[in-house]
Each structure stands twice: as C-alpha cells, then as structure tokens.
Amino acid sequence: MFDKLKSALGSLTKIATHTTLSKEDIDSFLWDFEVALIESDVASAVIESLNSNLRKKLVGMKIPRSEDRERFVLNELKAAVRDTFANTRHLDIIELAKKKAAQNRKDHLGPFVVLFLGINGVGKTTTVAKFAHLLQKNGLTAVVAAADTHRAGAIEQITEHANRLKIKPIAQSYGSDPAAVAKDAQLYASAHGVDVVIIDTAGRIQTSKNLMEEMSKIVRVVKPDLKIFVGDSLAGNDVLSQAKEFLSYTDFDAAILTKADADVKGGAALSVAFITQRPILYLGVGQEYDDLVPFDLDKFVESLFEKT
Ligand SMILES: Nc1nc2c(ncn2[C@@H]2O[C@H](COP(=O)(O)OP(=O)(O)OP(=O)(O)O)[C@@H](O)[C@H]2O)c(=O)[nH]1
Ligand SMILES: [Mg+2]
C-alpha cells in the first residue's frame, strides 16, 4: 500500500538539507505526493486539501539545528496529514454497545440499535453478519432485522446468516415496510432482554431518492444509537458521492469499508474519512465472519510514511 508515496517522501527528505524549507523544496515533493495519492485512488478534493495544508504548514518552516532533519520533516508531515482528520472522532462501538447493554439490564432502557446503510452490493448484509459475530465474541446478544424487503432473496440471505450464527432474525414478508420490521426487532429485543438490534437495509429501490427517504423513515421510527455507512473500497470516487448522499439524508455516525482484501491502494479509507469527517470503524477483509478488522487512522497515517 502506498509504495509510491513512500518514494515521494524520499524526494522531500533528500532536499531538506537547508535550514528553512522553501516553496521550491515543497513543490517538488508535493508533485510526487500528488501523483502517489492519485495512483492510490485518493479523491481529488482530498488531495487538494491535503496539499494546501501541507504547503501552508511547511513552506518557511525552520528545521532546528539540533534535530535530525529527516525525522523532523517526517513528523511535521505526519502531523499535517493527521490534522486533516482532526474532526474524525474516535468511536469504540463495542464499548458503546456494552455500556447500553449494562444500562438496559438495570433500567430496561431498550437495546442498542445499529442501522447499516449503503447502496446495493457493497457488502451490507455480510457486514451485518460479521458485526453480529463480533458482538457475540464480546459477550453481547443480538437480533437482526431483515429490513431489506425489496431485493429478491434478501430475507433468506440474512435469515441464513442468522441461523448460522444462532441469532434470531426478525422478518416480515417482501414489500412490507422496512421501518416496521426494524421497529418489530426493537420491540422483540426489549421484550426479551436482547442487547443489540442490527438492521440490514436495502441498497436499491426504484430511485436513489426513494432509498434515501426509506432510510430517513427507518431513522425516524427506530432512532438508532448508531448509523453506519457501508462502502466498497473498490468503488473509487463513487464511494464518495454515495457517502455524501447518505450523510446528507441520514447524518450517519461512522463508516465501514468492505473488500479491503482486494483494495491494494488504500485511498478509499482516506477519502471517505476526509470527506465525511466520520471515523472508519472497520475494514471488511474477506467473506468469513472473522474478516472484519478495526481501522486505526493514526496507524494508517503512520503506514503511509513507512519506508520500504
Ligand atoms: N472479498 C470480500 N468480499 C466481500 C466483503 N464483504 C462483502 N463481500 C461480498 O460482496 C458481495 C455482496 O455482499 P452483500 O453483503 O450481499 O452486499 P449488500 O450490500 O447487502 O447487497 P444488497 O443486499 O444487494 O444491497 C457478496 O458476494 C459478499 O460475499 C469483503 O470484505 N471482502
Ligand atoms: Mg443486502
């Protein structure tokens, strides 16, 4: 991942031999940096903003004599990239679920409700199943709501996952109101002391606007504790327009990017985090239930600058 970026970095550390970084020093590096980011599928809006942040921060910067030049420049660069994501707050979803479950056991406040959103085929249903499995590994109980009542086979697909995971699927028939299915699941979980409700939703109905309105309705009816956008790492710039649209209709809290096992470039995570200023919680890295790994932005930024 980001091999080009690592070589671009070499061009900066080599030129940083004087005490003050000049515009020329920075320009030659930023050109390489930009090419590396483009080749890594980072969105152009993200690249422009990153570059302008870096330029503002680095031009005219004095390198203290006592400092190791390369280390100094590297640290400033990392800080500038990290600043770009300053509003992306850290979110420990398992901790949140555990807290609500503990409260629920005491005060019967109802289950922790997590809504999954995203367009068709990105991996929502698979991620719902992986997430249920993760909750189980953390000692939490869950039900899944089959709130994709549109696509043929969707109810059977989530039911099959639920059966394999030994959790209860809450389903109605095709064509029924997804918000009602989600509400049903919430009531079932409340009545049976289940910790978490996970809602699987449709990815396509007649129009994108219909889909967004359907999602907004589910949000109004069940008031989820957490709304998670699911995007496909391989979708390039499309994932950004999807993220923006879902953000404006549902104001989701966080994102999960799937198919990162095939995403060698790594730009999607950077772009989605930047554009939405929402944390990336996990990456899907395969089709097995355990193939959901935490995403750590700090570590990711570090990895951009690792030397090969
Ligand atoms: N390699 C890989 N494949 C994945 C991953 N996540 C999902 N898939 C595959 O992507 C395909 C679509 O996954 P689904 O979970 O059905 O996607 P969806 O978003 O629910 O699709 P709709 O129900 O049509 O909206 C399936 O073949 C999954 O096995 C992942 O992290 N890595
Ligand atoms: Mg699905």
Side-chain angles (χ1 to χ4, degrees), residues 73-84:
V73 175
L74 244 176
N75 285 341
E76 290 302 327
L77 267 176
K78 284 181 193 170
V81 175
R82 240 183 269 116
D83 278 355
T84 313

Side-chain angles (χ1 to χ4, degrees), residues 115 117-119 147 150 177-180 201-222 227 245-251:
L115 173 67
L117 311 152
I119 69 148
H150 296 278
D177 180 359
T201 59
R204 174 153 55 196
I205 25 184
Q206 303 86 337
T207 67
S208 164
K209 189 154 187 287
N210 290 148
L211 180 65
M212 295 304 148
E213 280 167 359
E214 179 164 305
M215 296 307 120
S216 308
K217 183 174 177 192
I218 300 175
V219 170
R220 279 204 311 277
V221 171
V222 299
K227 292 158 278 183
E245 190 169 18
F246 277 97
L247 189 69
S248 75
Y249 275 88
T250 68
D251 191 27

